[in-house]
Amino acid sequence: MYRFSASGKEAIFDMKNTITKPEIHYAKTEDGWKIALHHHVGKKFRYPVLLVHGLASNYRNMDFPLEDLSLSRYLSRQGFDCWIVDLRGSGLSKKSRWAPYKWYFDDFVFQDLPAATDLILKKTGAKRLHWLGHSLGGVLAFPFANFYHRKKVLQSLITIASPVTTASRPGYFKITHRFDRILKLFPRLPYKTLSRMATRFVDLLLGLEGNALFSKDNMTREILITIMQHAVESVPSSLILQIHDWLKHNYFGSKDRKIDFRESMNHITMPMLMVCGAADSFTPLADIRLAFRKIPSKKKSLLVFGKSGGHEHDYGHIDLVLGKNSPKEVFPQLLNWLKEHD
């Protein structure tokens, strides 16, 4: 149970009776990283579920400290074997002592996720797995599915608030890309430290109209403080600069520009569910619909969470997974999809 002081400056945790710790496994990459996998056991269904967090986040994105908001625990209680990955630089993943704080989207695709998948298949004995990714964690599935050595490893794919095109440029990009020359001088963007410092301004953040990350009607003070204290990670400047390059040139590809990752969408033939929020400015609905039409899968569905669809609020970006109404409106839909395609 979480109890917060009136000022919001400190939180007291008592998780003995409510939170069961996951098993921790480590998958070693070819370049020496130890990628952490958090395992919640489930034995009812055939295929395990790999849950992949988004940019500047960690496994808490999918295994939130407030148990009712933990998607992985929800699915595990229903019988799915859940594995939440910490991509390099996040959570409990570890790098060799002398490795530089520098990596790219390519490293997730060709190093971290293949190592994690190999370990999951070895531990479970399964031939395939379900992929459930939030934001960047969904985008990663497209090139992974195309380049992983076992082409048909994905039983199904769920993307949540995943910006699968670069046709639209988020509002923040109009400001941040101007600092690219400065970013090159620093190894990382200290989101983790800044996020924890910003908890003292949580009431101001909750009052912002039309913020880019969440619907304020679907967020509480307790949830937002917990996100800021536990689910935010710093990011290497190299990765941010790569993403900025995509946005500048309407391009989605490898760092050396030899691989067009966007072309990988043409190879998505497994059952696919795309989930988005009606008020998500990071992943505009128009872009999601465009990508949805291009994906060749014969079994695909698009779910938009908003008032027009009968939901309590117009959802934003992070509150699709970590909103106060996610457990009753979003989680059951994901569960039903997985059951249907297991």
Side-chain angles (χ1 to χ4, degrees), residues 28 50 85 104 109 133 155 196 220 324 330 342:
K28 190 171 182 178
L50 171 59
V85 66
Y104 301 94
V109 174
Q155 174 66 14
R196 291 183 176 183
T220 69
K324 67 181 182 181
V330 181
D342 189 66

Side-chain angles (χ1 to χ4, degrees), residues 13-83:
F13 306 98
D14 179 11
M15 299 185 286
K16 293 181 181 178
N17 298 320
T18 58
I19 301 293
T20 55
K21 292 183 178 179
E23 301 172 353
I24 307 298
H25 301 266
Y26 286 94
K28 190 171 182 178
T29 67
E30 293 182 358
D31 63 348
W33 274 83
K34 292 182 179 179
I35 302 302
L37 285 158
H38 305 256
H39 180 209
H40 289 292
V41 179
K43 299 181 179 180
K44 185 176 179 180
F45 296 96
R46 289 186 298 171
Y47 300 110
V49 183
L50 171 59
L51 298 99
V52 188
H53 63 77
L55 180 69
S57 189
N58 55 40
Y59 80 101
R60 286 302 191 187
N61 187 184
M62 301 294 196
D63 191 19
F64 204 56
L66 301 178
E67 188 167 10
D68 288 345
L69 282 175
S70 171
L71 176 56
S72 59
R73 294 173 193 273
Y74 172 84
L75 295 175
S76 178
R77 287 196 296 268
Q78 301 297 323
F80 277 101
D81 199 48
C82 293
W83 298 74

Side-chain angles (χ1 to χ4, degrees), residues 50 105 108-110 113-114 117 129-131 137-159 252 261 263-272 295:
L50 171 59
F105 182 89
F108 298 150
V109 174
F110 299 113
L113 290 162
T117 300
L129 53 77
H130 301 286
W131 182 300
V139 179
L140 284 162
F142 299 114
F144 172 85
N146 192 29
F147 293 104
Y148 183 63
H149 63 89
R150 291 173 58 177
K151 293 289 187 181
K152 295 184 179 180
V153 73
L154 298 189
Q155 174 66 14
S156 74
L157 169 59
I158 298 176
T159 65
F252 176 37
F261 289 146
E263 194 273 336
S264 297
M265 294 172 60
N266 298 327
H267 301 277
I268 300 299
T269 58
M270 74 289 295
M272 180 177 181
I295 291 171

Side-chain angles (χ1 to χ4, degrees), residues 293-312:
R293 289 194 295 268
K294 289 184 176 181
I295 291 171
S297 174
K298 295 180 180 179
K299 294 182 179 180
K300 59 181 180 180
S301 297
L302 173 63
L303 281 178
V304 182
F305 284 86
K307 292 180 180 179
S308 62
H311 305 108
E312 194 162 339

Side-chain angles (χ1 to χ4, degrees), residues 163 165-171 173 247 250 281-288:
T165 78
T166 54
S168 292
R169 290 160 176 76
F173 175 70
L247 294 169
N250 189 22
S281 61
F282 275 96
T283 56
L285 183 55
D287 280 4
I288 296 294

Side-chain angles (χ1 to χ4, degrees), residues 71 73 81 107 116 156 161 181 189 221 238 247 257 333:
L71 176 56
R73 294 173 193 273
D81 199 48
D107 296 307
S156 74
R181 292 182 180 179
L189 276 69
R221 194 171 191 272
S238 54
L247 294 169
R257 289 185 169 266
Q333 296 282 359

Side-chain angles (χ1 to χ4, degrees), residues 91-124:
L92 299 184
S93 288
K94 304 173 183 179
K95 67 181 179 70
S96 60
R97 179 175 298 182
W98 306 113
Y101 195 89
K102 183 178 183 179
W103 57 87
Y104 301 94
F105 182 89
D106 311 39
D107 296 307
F108 298 150
V109 174
F110 299 113
Q111 296 278 349
D112 300 5
L113 290 162
T117 300
D118 286 346
L119 185 144
I120 293 170
L121 298 181
K122 180 180 179 180
K123 292 286 186 181
T124 63

